[in-house]
């Protein structure tokens, strides 16, 4: 019997909402060197460049709309008798806007800012600049509240507890390149969960899953959610 579902989402679930993925052909890391825009060292070297990059992405996120995959996961949370947790690597807010409530943003959120001196967090205005003052300590030390390469993802203790208790672990739209998220499937499996990958194509970690369905998230996710709800699991 399935009581606890943990769902890991990645850029692929938001691709059909018009937000670019990172590692597909023409993806974000082909267009922008990640060392420059997604590391603390890159930010220290050129904060204006990093703010420009995230200001543009924040605008894209604000203009994007959730797609049928996001709405299906919100339906699942509303209709499933047990617990549904979404752990997302995405920094957009499309899960929230589709109606999901139990979400952990392990790589931060585009809609938030933080101070790199006093660590205060707040809701970001549409644009941030190198001189934007921290509302708490007033220093011009504002950065996007995004977990960059080399930094510790958020909510790890809570995520590990949920993985321990998971009966079903589902990975959606992620290439399985970035740890610790890429290792969640093995952790859940060791703890006894069934594991399922829903992705456009087999990911790098596809062989770690018990089962897979390949296709666009807007098709395979609503189909899978419909089956779970109809089965009355
Ligand atoms: N439906 C389902 N899957 C899709 C779709 C789609 N329409 N389009 C693309 N995909 C799949 C790709 O096949 C790929 O396996 O989504 C995956 C996207 O992989 P990445 O671009 O690597 O994105 P992600 O796995 O989320 O990246 C993880 O890396 O750079 C960091 O912090 C960033 O959170 C990000 C992390």
């Amino acid at each position: 019997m399935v009581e606890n579902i943990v769902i890991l989402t990645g850029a692929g679930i938001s691709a059909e909402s018009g937000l670019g993925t990172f590692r597909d052909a023409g993806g974000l890391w082909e267009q922008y060197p990640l060392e420059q825009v997604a590391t603390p060292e890159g930010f220290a070297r050129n904060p204006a460049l990093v703010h420009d990059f995230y200001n543009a992405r924040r605008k894209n996120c604000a203009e994007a709309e959730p797609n049928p995959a996001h709405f299906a996961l919100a339906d699942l949370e509303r209709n499933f008798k047990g617990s549904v947790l979404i752990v997302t690597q995405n920094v957009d807010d499309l899960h929230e806007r589709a109606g999901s409530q139990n979400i952990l943003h392990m790589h931060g959120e585009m809609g938030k800012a933080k101070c790199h001196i006093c660590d205060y967090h707040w809701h970001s205005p549409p644009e941030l600049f190198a001189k934007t003052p921290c509302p708490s300590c007033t220093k011009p030390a504002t950065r996007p509240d995004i977990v960059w390469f080399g930094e510790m993802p958020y909510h790890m203790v809570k995520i590990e507890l949920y993985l321990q208790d998971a009966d079903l672990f589902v990975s959606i739209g992620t290439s399985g390149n970035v740890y610790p998220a890429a290792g969640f499937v093995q952790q859940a499996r060791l703890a006894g969960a069934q594991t399922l990958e829903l992705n456009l194509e087999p990911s790098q970690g596809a062989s770690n899953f018990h089962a897979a369905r390949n296709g666009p998230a807007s098709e395979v996710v609503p189909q899978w959610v419909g089956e779970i709800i109809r089965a009355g699991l």
Side-chain angles (χ1 to χ4, degrees):
M1 183 167 142
V2 177
E3 285 178 5
N4 300 313
I5 303 178
V6 176
I7 298 167
L8 173 69
T9 63
I13 197 169
S14 296
E16 290 162 87
S17 295
L19 299 180
T21 59
F22 296 97
R23 296 175 184 78
D24 292 309
L28 277 171
W29 296 154
E30 233 175 69
Q31 300 170 53
Y32 306 90
L34 70 86
E35 299 77 17
Q36 286 180 20
V37 297
T39 61
E41 296 77 18
F43 183 66
R45 269 195 303 272
N46 193 344
L49 174 81
V50 176
H51 279 306
D52 281 353
F53 172 73
Y54 286 101
N55 288 343
R57 292 195 61 210
R58 199 174 290 109
K59 185 167 179 282
N60 291 344
C61 286
E63 288 167 358
E65 295 294 337
N67 68 54
H70 298 102
F71 286 114
L73 294 185
D75 260 2
L76 179 67
E77 186 181 331
R78 273 191 297 273
N79 293 301
F80 182 67
K81 284 183 261 156
S83 133
V84 176
L85 171 73
I86 295 175
V87 178
T88 188
Q89 299 168 91
N90 297 344
V91 296
D92 64 57
D93 61 353
L94 297 181
H95 285 303
E96 285 89 342
R97 286 202 266 140
S100 288
Q101 296 194 340
N102 199 18
I103 308 164
L104 296 175
H105 281 272
M106 63 180 293
H107 290 171
E109 290 175 71
M110 188 59 78
K112 292 190 180 163
K114 78 169 181 176
C115 174
H116 66 79
I117 293 179
C118 75
D119 203 38
Y120 183 74
H121 294 238
W122 68 99
H123 282 286
S124 173
E127 293 192 311
L128 295 172
F129 302 96
K131 289 193 172 150
T132 305
C134 164
S136 179
C137 74
T138 73
K139 302 249 172 40
T142 295
R143 57 168 275 182
D145 192 1
I146 305 289
V147 176
W148 287 325
F149 287 92
E151 298 184 318
M152 181 64 85
Y154 293 150
H155 312 297
M156 285 309 296
V157 172
K158 205 166 174 184
I159 293 169
E160 309 263 341
L161 290 172
Y162 270 92
L163 289 172
Q164 276 302 316
D165 280 349
D167 307 300
L168 179 57
F169 173 83
V170 185
S171 172
I172 304 175
T174 176
S175 61
N177 269 281
V178 176
Y179 283 82
F184 291 170
V185 56
Q186 283 131 321
Q187 281 176 260
R189 215 176 150 148
L190 274 175
Q194 284 296 307
T195 56
L196 170 68
E197 173 168 272
L198 304 177
N199 207 55
L200 192 58
E201 59 200 6
S203 75
Q204 184 160 300
S207 60
N208 293 316
F209 291 82
H210 291 103
R213 295 186 190 184
N214 296 128
S218 66
E219 292 173 18
V220 292
V221 177
Q223 190 181 54
W224 168 72
V225 167
E227 288 168 24
I228 294 274
I229 292 175
R230 276 193 301 279
L233 287 175

